[in-house]
Amino acid sequence: NEKRLTAEEKKEFDEAKDQALRVWLENDAWKAIPLESADPEETVPARFLLRWKPKAEAKNGKVANARVILQGFRHKDVLTQQLETESPTLSRIVKHLIYLYLTQKGWKIFSADVKSAFMQSDSIDQETRIFIKPTADMRRRLERLMDLKPFQILKATKPAFGDVRAPRQWNTSADRVMINDLKFLRHPLDRCVYISYREAYQEDYEKEVFHMDGKTFVVDGLLGLHVDDYIGGGENVNGKHEVEGDYDGAFPTFRDRLCGLSRRFRFGSWDFGKVMRFCGAEVEQNVSRDAISVSMQDYVKKIKPITVEKSRKTMVSDACEEKEMRSLRALIGALAWPANQALPQLSASISILQAS
């Protein structure tokens, strides 16, 4: 609640709101059009989502963060269910196979997250009609930042958070860049795994050599894409500085392709540290690079146990009340993710509880 914020905190969120709007402007993610051009059934409200984001080096260990959210569920296409919204994500098995392959090859593992990924997608201006109605606070800011007029409304030109189509649209754009621009190969069994290759050398292990277009190649890197997060590793990539240097625009190696990727999209971070976070888990590679461990300790510690009222503890044979059932469902849902990703010892019990 903004009313409960101190004057200093309000100032922090005031700046965060402006920055959230600048992201849209910097990415040409919307444009102003006359109000009468917008179809009311294709117009959705927008609002700010405000939260404190943990940051160790910041004052009080947190910073104000704002994001523009569309109420996409109000769009007529959603209401009539005439949309293709399914978007592939990296499966647990394939993610662990990537870890296994990196360990076998002794490659340094790293992760990278694309900043404001949806807005770096290809334009949707021609094929999609989404008009955005800003709040009064948002409109006042846009009058200052982009000279929005009272008789104008906004039209989305890029996918946006809150639009159910956005993940699919971003994945389509990222896939096109990976294959057409950077010359990765998409794995035929998983659309979220991209294979890098280079020409084979005489000293390469013959069982790893494959033929393509009359030439011989070997795999020199792997990347997995989970929504807007990459994870992988490959030859001659051991730190962030190696994806920021000069590269061959013909993309003959994994390092060249990674350098091209770092220029094509803006990234929030590249993590080559000993321990990194990916899909809610802590992923750690040892110094000799012959082992990768996955832990969900931090995630599990944040799961709150069910609180049972003292008077109810003695009623062990009574059926659960609706409030207690909601709490139980929430707890089972929270435990389902770690059970699926890294804690197989929970899988059977969580599965039984979900089915009951």
Side-chain angles (χ1 to χ4, degrees), residues 101 105 107 183-185 194-212 215-222 233-236 251-255 257:
Y101 195 77
K105 301 295 291 185
W107 292 337
K183 313 305 179 186
F184 280 91
L185 298 176
Y194 297 93
I195 303 168
S196 176
Y197 55 94
R198 60 162 173 80
E199 288 195 24
Y201 305 141
Q202 188 174 359
E203 58 269 26
D204 287 324
Y205 181 46
E206 64 176 346
K207 296 294 185 182
E208 295 181 344
V209 175
F210 66 94
H211 298 267
M212 184 173 64
K215 296 181 179 180
T216 56
F217 298 93
V218 293
V219 173
D220 70 336
L222 285 178
E235 289 181 354
N236 304 316
F251 306 115
T253 69
F254 180 65
R255 182 192 166 278
R257 293 184 177 96

Side-chain angles (χ1 to χ4, degrees), residues 47-71:
R47 66 180 181 85
F48 286 117
L49 175 64
L50 307 179
R51 67 186 181 102
W52 289 107
K53 193 173 182 179
K55 191 172 184 179
E57 60 269 26
K59 184 179 178 180
N60 300 322
K62 61 183 182 180
V63 293
N65 179 266
R67 175 180 279 181
V68 177
I69 305 293
L70 304 187
Q71 295 183 12

Side-chain angles (χ1 to χ4, degrees), residues 239-310:
K240 184 180 178 182
H241 64 282
E242 288 174 328
V243 303
E244 297 175 337
D246 295 333
Y247 65 98
D248 186 337
F251 306 115
T253 69
F254 180 65
R255 182 192 166 278
D256 293 313
R257 293 184 177 96
L258 215 57
C259 287
L261 180 65
S262 72
R263 269 66 159 193
R264 177 57 181 80
F265 297 124
R266 290 184 299 280
F267 284 80
S269 66
W270 288 85
D271 192 348
F272 287 84
K274 181 183 176 183
V275 182
M276 64 192 66
R277 298 190 66 84
F278 188 76
C279 290
E282 298 82 53
V283 182
E284 181 176 359
Q285 185 177 43
N286 64 359
V287 176
S288 59
R289 302 184 185 176
D290 59 3
I292 294 175
S293 60
V294 180
S295 169
M296 301 201 75
Q297 183 174 342
D298 289 351
Y299 178 95
V300 172
K301 282 183 177 179
K302 293 177 183 178
I303 299 176
K304 296 180 180 180
I306 294 175
T307 301
V308 180
E309 295 179 6
K310 189 175 181 180

Side-chain angles (χ1 to χ4, degrees), residues 13-175:
F13 276 108
D14 185 64
E15 294 172 355
K17 287 178 180 179
D18 276 0
Q19 181 55 37
L21 294 173
R22 288 192 189 99
V23 171
W24 285 71
L25 298 174
E26 290 167 0
N27 288 282
D28 295 322
W30 55 24
K31 62 182 180 181
I33 64 167
L35 186 61
E36 60 270 18
S37 300
D39 182 342
E41 293 187 336
E42 297 175 320
T43 302
V44 299
R47 66 180 181 85
F48 286 117
L49 175 64
L50 307 179
R51 67 186 181 102
W52 289 107
K53 193 173 182 179
K55 191 172 184 179
E57 60 269 26
K59 184 179 178 180
N60 300 322
K62 61 183 182 180
V63 293
N65 179 266
R67 175 180 279 181
V68 177
I69 305 293
L70 304 187
Q71 295 183 12
F73 62 91
R74 296 179 181 271
H75 195 279
K76 71 174 186 179
D77 289 347
V78 177
L79 298 175
T80 56
Q81 298 181 343
Q82 295 178 349
L83 295 175
E84 291 184 358
T85 61
E86 291 185 2
S87 177
T89 54
L90 193 64
S91 70
R92 170 177 55 90
I93 292 175
V94 172
K95 181 172 57 182
H96 289 171
L97 284 174
I98 290 175
Y99 297 158
L100 180 63
Y101 195 77
L102 299 187
T103 300
Q104 181 188 22
K105 301 295 291 185
W107 292 337
K108 175 63 181 172
I109 190 172
F110 66 86
S111 65
D113 69 283
V114 182
K115 186 177 182 180
S116 304
F118 293 168
M119 294 187 191
Q120 296 192 59
S121 304
D122 297 330
S123 174
I124 60 170
D125 191 22
Q126 299 300 317
E127 66 268 20
T128 305
R129 287 168 55 89
I130 302 177
F131 304 101
I132 303 169
K133 180 181 179 182
T135 61
D137 177 28
M138 198 177 290
R139 179 173 280 278
R140 284 193 297 270
R141 295 172 187 275
L142 290 172
E143 288 173 358
R144 169 168 48 85
L145 294 172
M146 64 175 288
D147 196 26
L148 184 69
K149 305 298 183 185
F151 55 84
Q152 292 179 321
I153 197 169
L154 299 166
K155 183 179 187 295
T157 58
K158 296 285 186 73
F161 196 81
D163 179 10
V164 296
R165 289 167 282 207
R168 182 185 179 93
Q169 290 164 335
W170 152 248
N171 184 268
T172 300
S173 299
D175 185 69

